[in-house]
Amino acid sequence: MRSAMQTFLYLISDEELTVASVVVVGTQWGDEGKGKIVDLLTGHADCIVRFQGGNNAGHTLVVEGKKYVFHIIPSGILYENKLCMIGNGVIVDPAVLLAEMDELRSKGLPVTPARLLISENAHLIMPYHCQLDQAREAALSSGKKIGTTGRGIGPCYMDKVGRVGIKAGDLLDFGQFLDKLQANVEEKNFFLTKQFNAAPASFDEIKAQFEGHAERLTPFIGNVSVALDQARKADKNILFEGAQGTQLDIDHGTYPFVTSSNTVAGNACIGSGFGPAHIDEVIGILKAYTTRVGAGPFPSELPEGDSVGDELQRKGGEFGATTGRRRRCGWLDMVVANDAVRLNGLTGLAITKLDVLSGQAKLKIGRSYTVEGKKFEQMPANIRQAALAKPVYEEIDGWSEDISQVRSFEELPQQAQDYIRRIEDITGVAPIIVSVGPDRAETLLLRNPFVK
């Protein structure tokens, strides 16, 4: 697969390569196309690290016409001779992880301990977490539902901060695992049966299930922080990938319509055990328009039935990689983009799905919001105000040409170039990658963050 990468990346000599640690994050509400960008940059990395989130997020890649969807394993696994790591900030559903490994094996890509390392401090999503997640969401009235995926993410993070969670390292000491499991099942069953009138979790069933998980996963479990430090000292290039997007951050997003972890770049260090002084670049993935899955404020949303919104949804294939839910679509929101620039300290932008905008005569860019007569240039922290925010747009010319075969910035229609330059003007951050189609080859690399 590496040869396919070399067909469209310019060749880089060993002398030009500079040792670097690069973080890739989403700038919107997730689904920006991080998987594809990580896949591209993986060609120049030695280690690829997932640092937060769980299997409530998905990365979709199309390589040589083949589609791959990852939920836990870093998308760099498609490359040979790369070490992928799952950091302590990730919460792992062992059944989902093992299913991904089995699927890759069926496609001729076996995952071995030499290619994948799981942090001993990563917490495990247990069956009762999924039961609680679904029971809590079902108990909420329609106007108060969060839009959770029901995959146990919130309850698992709650156990983590409540200091009762079960970690991957506990599988190495199964007696300790069972002690924790017994205490948790007793507590969770109280809430499941008494508060939510739901079926209880079964200790015996979970024990049997995790005996099998432990047997398969223990060879992969170790100290990711130490491995990363050794890689850095050995002059290895390290790529950190996050899940979801900046506006889904538990602290800085549109709370409570967020995920349960920190999605911003600062968590790359916390979620992997890597010192912040060693980060060299932070690349923000910015979809050329804006989408959101599930509930929550979305100021630039085009309502379902709007011709432009429906066209973006259709052409962009905007369905969640994890849930299959229809993504809400809207114009590019630069308030959201500038929030991401500030919160992540972005040093470069990767603009994705530019090709989806082809055929639009006019394009709108949201520059600010009005909320009850007041101007906002940041997303309001007050969720009621965020829900009332109305974008103030500027309008620029679109283009009609199909750009999927374009392989340099200069070949793009002038209006597409102007659109990209306008994004740079507003954010103050230069685009370094532009995606003009879903396949790995349909990508323009304007600057490589691993090269000086």
Side-chain angles (χ1 to χ4, degrees), residues 214-450:
E215 182 177 355
R216 293 188 61 185
L217 289 177
T218 49
F220 295 87
I221 297 171
N223 194 316
V224 164
S225 178
V226 169
L228 284 172
D229 195 51
Q230 292 171 343
R232 179 185 65 82
K233 290 176 178 177
D235 293 334
K236 302 295 185 182
N237 284 331
I238 304 172
L239 182 63
F240 297 85
E241 65 168 308
Q244 290 104 11
T246 299
Q247 287 295 334
L248 291 177
D249 186 275
I250 186 68
D251 286 295
H252 303 288
T254 48
Y255 188 91
F257 301 98
V258 292
T259 193
S260 299
S261 62
N262 290 108
T263 61
V264 294
N267 198 29
C269 297
I270 298 169
S272 63
F274 194 73
H278 304 312
I279 299 296
D280 299 297
E281 294 256 11
V282 181
I283 308 305
I285 316 303
L286 181 73
K287 192 180 288 187
Y289 50 100
T290 312
T291 62
R292 178 167 197 170
V293 171
F298 184 1
S300 67
E301 180 176 12
L302 295 165
E304 190 169 357
D306 178 274
S307 60
V308 174
D310 288 351
E311 179 74 358
L312 296 178
Q313 197 277 329
R314 183 189 63 79
K315 287 182 66 176
E318 297 297 353
F319 295 92
T322 298
T323 63
R325 291 183 293 183
R326 182 186 190 276
R327 294 176 187 147
R328 301 151 64 191
C329 297
W331 293 115
L332 183 61
D333 186 330
M334 298 310 292
V335 174
V336 166
N338 280 326
D339 277 356
V341 171
R342 183 185 72 254
L343 290 166
N344 294 289
L346 298 183
T347 60
L349 290 172
I351 298 174
T352 58
K353 292 198 172 183
L354 186 68
D355 54 300
V356 176
L357 294 179
S358 293
Q360 298 295 331
K362 295 290 183 179
L363 302 173
K364 293 183 178 181
I365 299 174
R367 293 298 311 279
S368 62
Y369 302 147
T370 57
V371 182
E372 298 176 319
K374 295 182 180 180
K375 181 179 180 180
F376 281 76
E377 293 185 337
Q378 300 82 34
M379 180 67 70
N382 182 305
I383 197 64
R384 184 189 65 82
Q385 291 181 324
L388 294 173
K390 302 296 181 186
V392 177
Y393 289 114
E394 67 175 61
E395 190 173 85
I396 66 173
D397 291 334
W399 61 93
S400 59
E401 297 92 329
D402 176 6
I403 62 173
S404 62
Q405 301 305 309
V406 167
R407 294 297 178 266
S408 73
F409 183 81
E410 291 72 24
E411 292 176 27
L412 288 170
Q414 186 61 50
Q415 296 90 336
Q417 294 184 38
D418 292 344
Y419 188 69
I420 293 170
R421 290 193 178 100
R422 189 66 186 127
I423 292 172
E424 180 177 2
D425 289 343
I426 296 170
T427 61
V429 180
I432 68 166
I433 297 170
V434 178
S435 174
V436 295
D439 198 89
R440 177 189 279 175
E442 296 170 334
T443 313
L444 316 180
L445 184 62
L446 311 182
R447 177 176 73 82
N448 190 320
F450 286 111

Side-chain angles (χ1 to χ4, degrees), residues 12-83:
I12 298 169
S13 70
D14 291 339
E15 289 73 27
E16 290 176 307
L17 286 174
T18 303
V19 177
S21 297
V22 177
V23 179
V24 172
V25 295
T27 62
Q28 297 156 314
W29 280 282
D31 307 309
E32 300 97 348
K34 293 179 293 299
K36 179 184 179 182
I37 303 305
V38 169
D39 173 66
L40 186 154
L41 295 177
T42 294
H44 306 290
D46 302 293
C47 304
I48 303 89
V49 191
R50 169 85 180 270
F51 63 83
Q52 55 80 217
N55 60 297
N56 58 331
H59 287 169
T60 302
L61 302 177
V62 180
V63 181
E64 297 176 351
K66 294 182 180 180
K67 182 178 179 180
Y68 300 86
V69 179
F70 299 101
H71 299 92
I72 300 178
I73 296 178
S75 45
I77 202 70
L78 292 181
Y79 284 80
E80 297 179 3
N81 305 318
K82 309 288 183 180
L83 176 58

